Amino acid sequence: MDWGMLAQAGLWGIVAASSLLLGALLGVLLRLPQRVVAALMAYGSGVLIAALCFEQIPEALRLGGLAPTLWGLLAGGLCFVAANEWLERQERHQRGREAGGQSHMAGLLIAAGAFLDGIPESVGLGLGLLDGGQVSLMLLVAIFLSNLPEGLASAAGLRAEGRSRRYVFRLWGGIVLLSGIAAMAGPGLFAGLSPHWLAVALGFSAGAVLCMLVDAMIPEAFAETHALTGLITLTGFMTALALDKAI
């Protein structure tokens, strides 16, 4: 096992997820309008879509062809939707308990949701190091930008619930570290496997991220930015396209 590659993957995973802490800091110190947060979310979604289109999916197709890529996409989407549905049921159940005077778990549920969103992104980031490859700069920027509004909105909500600043930063700091571990899982689990299975893994990551965008980020953005959501998302996509050509 190449420990240097694992350490590098973990470092890049932490760098990409560090915007969660930056967003949390902004959420604690500033009171940005919800429309601004939603616009950042839509912009990050556009960048992530471009990263899937220009980086992950083409690389999966190059490694294993169409069938493994499609199977990976489907498996990733199904896993994310199932896990997200389970988490939402737990959140609804917890809200009912809190209404009856039970203990709070909202912070842990928010953290679990953020980690669920970040797993496929971080794994995909780490997978780029396999076969002598490099971390995708576009994917790195996309993850950083998409995490920023999530950390901002969630930290503001936690502060509104009366959580301390220390609680907020410890919570999101833990998520950043877990994201680094998830990035290490990419090369750690798939190193030495055939290109066929690497294509499945990349497809899995891309499918999960795409479902996350459609199920979570874009609807949340649309709730605030409405008709402008498409244009803001398009702007993020165009930025990533320009970055891809510049690289």
Side-chain angles (χ1 to χ4, degrees), residues 4-22 114-115 117-129 134-137 139-148 172-187:
M5 182 172 61
L6 289 181
Q8 187 179 354
L11 176 62
W12 284 118
I14 289 173
V15 169
S18 65
S19 56
L20 285 170
L21 274 178
L22 177 59
F115 185 50
D117 292 350
I119 287 174
E121 299 170 346
S122 298
V123 170
L125 196 65
L127 284 171
L129 292 172
Q134 296 181 340
V135 166
S136 165
L137 178 58
L139 185 59
L140 180 69
V141 172
I143 296 173
F144 189 92
L145 290 176
S146 64
N147 281 337
L148 184 64
W172 291 108
I175 295 298
V176 170
L177 290 177
L178 288 173
S179 296
I181 294 173
M184 294 171 67

Side-chain angles (χ1 to χ4, degrees), residues 46-58 136 138-139 142 237 240:
V47 178
L48 264 178
I49 292 171
L52 298 183
C53 292
F54 304 140
E55 296 280 348
Q56 276 195 281
I57 295 177
S136 165
M138 183 190 297
L139 185 59
F237 186 92

Side-chain angles (χ1 to χ4, degrees), residues 6-245:
L6 289 181
Q8 187 179 354
L11 176 62
W12 284 118
I14 289 173
V15 169
S18 65
S19 56
L20 285 170
L21 274 178
L22 177 59
L25 178 63
L26 294 175
V28 167
L29 298 179
L30 305 177
R31 294 191 177 275
L32 294 178
Q34 281 298 111
R35 286 176 65 88
V36 173
V37 177
L40 288 172
M41 201 170 292
Y43 184 86
S45 297
V47 178
L48 264 178
I49 292 171
L52 298 183
C53 292
F54 304 140
E55 296 280 348
Q56 276 195 281
I57 295 177
E59 180 64 9
L61 290 169
R62 183 188 69 81
L63 287 170
L66 181 61
T69 302
L70 290 178
W71 280 114
L73 285 165
L74 180 61
L78 288 173
C79 286
F80 177 84
V81 170
N84 192 53
E85 183 64 24
W86 177 84
L87 186 62
E88 287 184 358
R89 285 201 302 269
Q90 296 302 310
E91 190 172 2
R92 288 193 296 267
H93 177 67
Q94 184 61 31
R95 286 174 182 170
R97 291 182 59 192
E98 289 176 356
Q102 300 294 328
S103 60
H104 289 262
M105 276 184 61
L108 293 178
L109 289 172
I110 291 172
F115 185 50
L116 176 63
D117 292 350
I119 287 174
E121 299 170 346
S122 298
V123 170
L125 196 65
L127 284 171
L129 292 172
L130 292 177
D131 289 339
Q134 296 181 340
V135 166
S136 165
L137 178 58
M138 183 190 297
L139 185 59
L140 180 69
V141 172
I143 296 173
F144 189 92
L145 290 176
S146 64
N147 281 337
L148 184 64
E150 185 172 14
L152 196 158
S154 298
L158 286 169
R159 289 292 289 161
E161 291 176 5
R163 301 290 186 177
S164 68
R165 293 185 178 184
R166 176 176 293 183
Y167 177 90
V168 171
F169 290 120
R170 286 178 63 184
L171 182 67
W172 291 108
I175 295 298
V176 170
L177 290 177
L178 288 173
S179 296
I181 294 173
M184 294 171 67
L189 294 175
F190 295 97
L193 293 183
S194 69
H196 174 95
W197 289 108
L198 291 179
V200 172
L202 283 168
F204 184 95
S205 171
V209 170
L210 185 58
C211 285
M212 179 271 292
L213 290 172
V214 176
D215 288 353
M217 287 188 67
I218 293 176
E220 288 183 31
F222 184 81
E224 295 292 335
T225 55
H226 305 297
L228 294 177
T229 307
L231 284 175
I232 298 171
T233 305
L234 177 61
T235 303
F237 186 92
M238 292 167 61
T239 302
L241 176 59
L243 177 63
D244 181 63
K245 294 304 178 183

